[in-house]
Amino acid sequence: MTVSLFDQFMSPTYLGIPLLALALTLPWILFPSPSARWLNNRLLTLQGWVINRFTQQILTPLSLGGHKWALILTSLMIFLITLNILGLLPYTFTPTTQLSLNLGLAVPLWLATVLIGLRNQPTAALGHLLPEGTPTPLIPVLIIIETISLFIRPLALGVRLTANLTAGHLLMQLTSTAAFVLLSMMPTVAILTTILLFLLTLLEVAVAMIQAYVFVLLLSLYLQENV
């Protein structure tokens, strides 16, 4: 039972070829590209409105130097939301449940923010490692603690996204299995369990969007410290 529960998180293969790359390219096919017309259809208008609102929300606390990251952060947000929601469909694979993928997204972007801070304002970037007014005996300890907390940031980004999506998928699978087993023995309880499963699905859709937003928001906060 334990093995079958976690089988859904294994990367699918076809003829020995991992299909993770195919799953990663799928989101870009689903979104329509803007046209040169003066008036777009409703889907393009809604897509443009959502992107504009999100970009304004993310870039408001950033300085002008951080606005160069608008395309990267917005594309990453749309990419993560699409992957997370597509993974809720039956017989699909969620790439963002793989810690390796999430760390592959988190580590380079976090490292880029740190390197930008060290290049543009090295004194301020290094000053984050030692809060102002620290007693002299605590200086070595605080520098070590702040350095560890700095390097834990990308790990926390990846683990947070992986853990939330994995827990939600497991809970949905357990609930659906219980509803299927109880259908022949206790139909009333099975119906209640199915209603619970429907509510869990709505919750997971919200979690998929919120976790993608939190991932990009934390990256923007790291960027704000170093720009």
Side-chain angles (χ1 to χ4, degrees):
M1 184 64 180
T2 304
V3 176
S4 62
L5 281 177
F6 288 92
D7 279 348
Q8 60 176 318
F9 303 115
M10 296 176 60
S11 180
T13 58
Y14 181 72
L15 298 178
I17 302 174
L19 299 181
L20 182 61
L22 180 62
L24 293 179
T25 55
L26 185 60
W28 306 116
I29 304 174
L30 299 178
F31 288 94
S33 57
S35 63
R37 299 176 180 176
W38 286 4
L39 292 177
N40 294 319
N41 56 29
R42 292 182 178 87
L43 181 59
L44 279 174
T45 303
L46 178 62
Q47 176 181 311
W49 179 81
V50 171
I51 291 176
N52 287 335
R53 293 296 299 172
F54 169 75
T55 306
Q56 292 175 4
Q57 182 74 20
I58 288 294
L59 298 184
T60 297
L62 295 178
S63 62
L64 291 178
H67 291 185
K68 300 175 183 178
W69 285 60
L71 181 60
I72 296 177
L73 296 179
T74 306
S75 302
L76 181 62
M77 171 74 173
I78 298 174
F79 183 65
L80 290 177
I81 284 182
T82 310
L83 287 179
N84 294 347
I85 293 181
L86 286 178
L88 296 175
L89 297 175
Y91 302 104
T92 56
F93 170 67
T94 312
T96 44
T97 56
Q98 304 294 311
L99 183 59
S100 57
L101 173 66
N102 296 332
L103 289 179
L105 292 173
V107 173
L109 293 173
W110 164 83
L111 185 60
T113 62
V114 174
L115 293 179
I116 286 176
L118 291 175
R119 186 189 67 178
N120 295 339
Q121 42 184 7
T123 304
L126 295 176
H128 289 306
L129 301 179
L130 185 62
E132 188 177 356
T134 305
T136 305
L138 296 179
I139 288 178
V141 178
L142 278 180
I143 290 179
I144 295 175
I145 293 175
E146 291 295 329
T147 305
I148 293 175
S149 67
L150 178 66
F151 283 97
I152 283 179
R153 285 180 174 182
L155 182 62
L157 279 177
V159 170
R160 181 186 294 107
L161 183 59
T162 304
N164 281 282
L165 295 180
T166 303
H169 282 63
L170 285 175
L171 190 58
M172 288 177 60
Q173 182 170 353
L174 289 172
T175 308
S176 60
T177 304
F180 181 76
V181 171
L182 293 173
L183 185 60
S184 58
M185 298 184 295
M186 292 180 286
T188 306
V189 179
I191 292 174
L192 294 176
T193 309
T194 305
I195 296 174
L196 177 62
L197 177 61
F198 176 73
L199 296 177
L200 277 176
T201 304
L202 295 180
L203 178 63
E204 276 304 301
V205 172
V207 168
M209 294 187 288
I210 290 172
Q211 288 303 317
Y213 176 75
V214 169
F215 190 94
V216 178
L217 178 63
L218 289 176
L219 275 177
S220 69
L221 293 178
Y222 300 157
L223 180 64
Q224 182 182 355
E225 291 181 359
N226 295 285
V227 173

